[in-house]
Amino acid sequence: AVCPGAADERNNRNIAAKLTWFTSGFGPRAHEITVGVDLFQETRQTNTYQSGSDFRVRATRSVILGDQVYPVFLSDRTTWIYWTPIRRSSVGNDMRTYSMFAGDAWRLTSRLTLQPGLRVDLNRDRDSQGALAVDDTSVSPRVSASWDPAGNGVWVVRGGYARYVTAINTTV
């Protein structure tokens, strides 16, 4: 083979579980409480060779003859030859996110519902050489409310606040 050890394997695993508990009625005893976990893992092993010889040519000019491309080497330093070997094979990335969340739909009256919630994400990620790349914990609170001014469901006023976090860049 031209590129021994070339590999490009990518896999995702996701396990999620959610429980909901509901009490009926109105007032301080009317709740719909949800709790859950989300476990996500992405693994990637990539030894990407940019060429069969580990050499790359960057040229500002080239000559095309049939299906062959030839770089033109100029004296003005606009043509370069790079040697980019993979000196150490990848052990693969191991990106893991452990998430927990809880929320409540608290129906205070027949016309007013309050919805607080919280999500916690723990990231423990290793790069392609096995070194710890990310060790991060993020907390995402949220709260919203809905109010039916007439009590007939025709008009509902909603408002809320939430803090969200972005996913970890998985190309480390």
Side-chain angles (χ1 to χ4, degrees):
V2 175
C3 303
D8 190 5
E9 296 181 26
R10 301 167 190 226
N11 294 298
N12 292 334
R13 292 180 185 92
N14 193 62
I15 298 171
K18 181 169 79 168
L19 297 171
T20 301
W21 178 64
F22 177 74
T23 61
S24 61
F26 298 106
R29 298 182 65 176
H31 293 272
E32 184 178 335
I33 299 172
T34 302
V35 296
V37 295
D38 188 3
L39 309 173
F40 179 77
Q41 178 186 24
E42 175 183 318
T43 57
R44 179 183 299 181
Q45 183 174 11
T46 305
N47 288 321
T48 306
Y49 287 85
Q50 300 299 316
S51 73
S53 66
D54 290 337
F55 287 96
R56 290 190 283 169
V57 178
R58 295 216 173 150
T60 56
R61 294 190 188 160
S62 59
V63 174
I64 301 172
L65 296 174
D67 62 351
Q68 299 294 314
V69 179
Y70 299 96
V72 175
F73 289 85
L74 302 173
S75 61
D76 61 358
R77 296 184 176 207
T78 59
T79 303
W80 296 89
I81 298 176
Y82 294 94
W83 183 52
T84 55
I86 295 177
R87 296 176 190 256
R88 187 171 154 199
S89 293
S90 170
V91 297
N93 294 8
D94 188 6
M95 309 289 186
R96 296 175 186 232
T97 300
Y98 307 94
S99 302
M100 299 155 283
F101 57 90
D104 186 9
W106 186 11
R107 195 159 181 187
L108 297 169
T109 69
S110 63
R111 296 167 48 180
L112 181 62
T113 302
L114 182 65
Q115 296 172 303
L118 184 69
R119 179 180 177 99
V120 178
D121 294 303
L122 302 130
N123 294 289
R124 303 290 180 264
D125 303 335
R126 297 201 173 273
D127 67 13
S128 62
Q129 297 302 311
L132 187 64
V134 176
D135 185 4
D136 179 58
T137 301
S138 299
V139 178
S140 303
R142 58 198 72 189
V143 65
S144 65
S146 58
W147 174 56
D148 182 352
N152 59 10
V154 174
W155 291 95
V156 177
V157 178
R158 299 179 197 271
Y161 165 82
R163 178 181 181 268
Y164 292 92
V165 294
T166 187
I168 298 296
N169 181 355
T170 62
T171 59
V172 294

